[in-house]
Amino acid sequence: MSYRVHLRPDAETDIEEAATWYEKQRKGLGDEFLDEVLSVFETISDNPHMYAVVHRHTRRAIIHRFPFGIYYRIEEESLVVVAVMHGSRHPKRWQQRT
């Protein structure tokens, strides 16, 4: 059973800002970032318990090739993505969203 992935508005903003930044670094890199994010969404949709809980009921999946984590919660038959943040960001920044 695959879970539906729902992004909170802050998580959507996180993705858009990161993709824009990568695109400014090199043409096409923003799209590559988005492809990696979508790949992780597919993975967590198929196997949401694969990643460990890092804070309360929030889990973190690491994005390959890019130093970002996807923070999400499992809620009934859906996944709620609360943040997509760079690994160097202070954890309090995304924890305030949960």
Side-chain angles (χ1 to χ4, degrees), residues 9-95:
D10 287 339
E12 286 184 36
T13 301
D14 293 340
I15 294 168
E16 290 169 7
E17 289 177 355
T20 299
W21 187 86
Y22 280 117
E23 191 63 26
K24 288 180 181 175
Q25 305 311 302
R26 180 176 56 103
K27 185 165 179 59
L29 191 58
D31 289 334
E32 292 176 32
F33 173 77
L34 293 174
D35 289 344
E36 291 292 332
V37 169
L38 292 175
S39 176
V40 174
F41 285 168
E42 288 178 21
T43 300
I44 64 175
S45 174
D46 291 338
N47 193 359
H49 297 280
M50 179 177 179
Y51 296 96
V53 173
V54 293
H55 179 71
R56 296 186 185 164
H57 300 289
T58 306
R59 297 170 183 270
R60 180 185 65 201
I62 303 298
I63 299 173
H64 303 288
R65 289 190 54 214
F66 298 92
F68 279 77
I70 296 176
Y71 297 85
Y72 66 98
R73 289 191 316 260
I74 302 168
E75 294 185 359
E76 295 179 19
E77 295 181 10
S78 66
L79 304 176
V80 177
V81 177
V82 295
V84 178
M85 301 192 77
H86 194 279
S88 67
R89 294 282 183 139
H90 196 280
K92 294 284 183 193
R93 185 167 174 129
W94 67 262
Q95 289 174 2

